[in-house]
Amino acid sequence: MSVAMKRKTVITENVEIAKDIYSMWLNAPDISREARPGQFVSLYCRDRSKLLPRPISICEINKEQGKIRLVYRIAGEGTREFAGMDAAEDMEAMGPLGNGFTLEGKKALLIGGGIGIPPMLELAKQLSCEKQIVLGYRDITFLEKEFEAYGKVYISTEDGSRGTKGNVIDAIREESLDADIIFACGPTPMLRGVKAYATEHKIKAQLSLEERMACGIGACLGCICKTKEVDHHSNVKNKRICKDGPVFYAEEVEL
Amino acid sequence: MNTSVTLAGITFKNPVTTASGTFGSGMEYGEYVDLSRLGAVTTKGVSNVPWPGNPTPRIAETYGGMLNAIGLQNPGVDVFINRDIPFLRKYDTKVIVNVVGKTTEEYCEVVERLACQDVDMLEINISCPNVKEGGIAFGQDPRCVFEITSELKKRAKQPIIMKLSPNVADIGEMARAAEAGGADALSLINTLTGMKIDIHRRAFLLANKTGGLSGPAVKPVAVRMVYQAANAVKLPIIGMGGIASAEDALEFIMAGASMVAVGTANFINPTATLEVVEGIEAYMGQYGIEDINDLIGCVK
């Protein structure tokens, strides 16, 4: 694999698909060639007072056209700047970064929560086994129709406006879903719930974590997660989410 | 054109190194930069035993800068000696090892373990704002600076650089204390203690509450402190604090730094160190400067 250099890419589309949720396609052949589901890219703000790159998970990869899709939420001033950009504008990006999901299993549960949903789309595309897709939202839904081509979709909303009222685990229990592999990405409380569910049902689970990052390449040690065993690189019970992750087996990490 | 500089008897091919903690032990950035192009690699702080560091979040962005509270996570001196020194020795660059501890004894232990190792200089971190004991506690009292410097100087086989904190009223006083203790060189600045509050969550951004401010926002403070330290002592100085370009680096050199370190800029641009090296050469070419040493402290 070649090194994920910082590169100029070109925005080909950037549209709001739900309130404060944007879908951006980047013409980025070098990134799309190497990218795997579950990896992320670092995007750089033009306003240099915002120093640090923003890590955004890859939602879709189109290797034929040399493009990648990012679906992101306006979470602060950096992502607000991205949301204001138009097609044909340049975007500085570095990637793909991180390890990505390992494709495995015969019957899978794909669980996405909030802005953890986008990376599950490319995973759903590339995973060839039977798929059940559980998407958890606070209220407003997005991307759910695009998942329908790849498996049965179950929805949970906190306010009960769509699907099961509650969280993704409530939906899984309500629908009595079973699987031999779980893939999950979402906020830490959700991942904690997924880990507990996977442990209880003895299902192998891959969890994609997030944390505030600086370098994105494993040097600054800003984005660590606690691990069960001593990690060979850090020599303490910490792994780097950007470099060793963001995807970990549930039993490896303490959430 | 001569870009080489000599500090404490060690000659560096150019005046550019990395700021401790921003470059690991070079492995990650070795994929982006030919480490042999750098004057030196300064490693992340090394302690006597592995340190797990602080809880997360450890990082918060601020206007033109960032706060970090990593807490000096590091694998300990044994792993460092067995893994990181051999890695760095594959490159044609000097190796400066940053040393951390919670007590004088811990600093001494690391310095003694490194005494027989193939490293060029030791940088003693008495200025980390993110650990409760040690670190900055040694760096804010001139008597402590003098004592720890002289204790380490007795044991060190390599020249020692004392890394000073900007969180003091009089940097010149600290610089003189290190010089009196026998330091071979100084480096400054470490980060400025800062804080950020998330008004929506009504909570601190960092789990550690406070963190060290770095990045372009701190550069004018750093240039001023390098100038003051350079005027207070005869020791050579490694200047750092917000350097992201050759222009930034040259300010420090003209203020009196014999070397410069690129830190936070590595996180934003993995090839920043190399761009600083090349940019300094370009500046020298542009102005017909034959020897970089002619620029050191040239602005009085």
Side-chain angles (χ1 to χ4, degrees), chain A residues 28-58:
Chain A
D30 296 318
I31 298 175
S32 75
R33 190 180 308 124
E34 304 277 350
R36 299 191 304 277
Q39 288 189 298
F40 67 95
V41 295
S42 276
L43 297 188
Y44 296 82
C45 297
R46 286 188 184 172
D47 174 353
R48 297 293 171 188
S49 73
K50 301 191 231 338
L51 291 184
L52 301 175
R54 271 54 181 170
I56 312 271
S57 62
I58 297 172

Side-chain angles (χ1 to χ4, degrees), chain A residues 194-207:
Chain A
V194 170
K195 181 180 174 175
Y197 184 86
T199 308
E200 181 192 331
H201 292 84
K202 299 187 173 57
I203 306 170
K204 199 174 183 183
Q206 297 183 31
L207 309 178

Side-chain angles (χ1 to χ4, degrees), chain B residues 111-192:
Chain B
V111 165
E112 283 167 355
R113 291 279 284 119
L114 291 169
C116 58
Q117 295 297 320
D118 183 17
V119 299
D120 298 290
M121 290 181 98
L122 306 181
E123 180 183 60
I124 313 300
N125 180 357
I126 52 167
S127 43
C128 176
N130 297 325
V131 293
K132 283 195 179 62
E133 311 123 320
I136 202 165
F138 287 95
Q140 290 180 320
D141 176 343
R143 200 172 40 85
C144 290
V145 172
F146 170 82
E147 279 169 11
I148 193 164
T149 305
S150 46
E151 280 303 310
L152 295 177
K153 190 58 197 167
K154 277 184 227 159
R155 292 167 170 82
K157 292 283 184 289
Q158 298 88 356
I160 63 169
I161 306 158
M162 300 308 287
K163 185 166 183 179
L164 302 182
S165 171
N167 303 299
V168 296
D170 182 354
I171 194 71
E173 190 182 14
M174 301 301 157
R176 282 189 294 269
E179 186 174 51
D184 298 287
L186 302 177
S187 60
L188 66 152
I189 60 172
N190 204 320
T191 54
L192 288 148

Side-chain angles (χ1 to χ4, degrees), chain A residues 48-114:
Chain A
R48 297 293 171 188
S49 73
K50 301 191 231 338
L51 291 184
L52 301 175
R54 271 54 181 170
I56 312 271
S57 62
I58 297 172
C59 174
E60 280 192 88
I61 305 160
N62 186 330
K63 288 187 195 286
E64 293 72 37
Q65 293 182 24
K67 290 180 180 176
I68 57 167
R69 183 189 188 190
L70 309 172
V71 171
Y72 59 97
R73 167 181 285 150
I74 297 181
E77 291 308 309
T79 38
R80 191 176 304 283
E81 181 189 299
F82 301 151
M85 294 173 77
D86 294 318
E89 284 192 70
D90 291 345
M91 170 67 81
E92 256 193 313
M94 186 165 78
L97 300 172
N99 59 353
F101 289 108
T102 303
L103 305 184
E104 61 179 334
K106 293 192 179 69
K107 188 176 185 187
L109 252 179
L110 280 64
I111 307 172

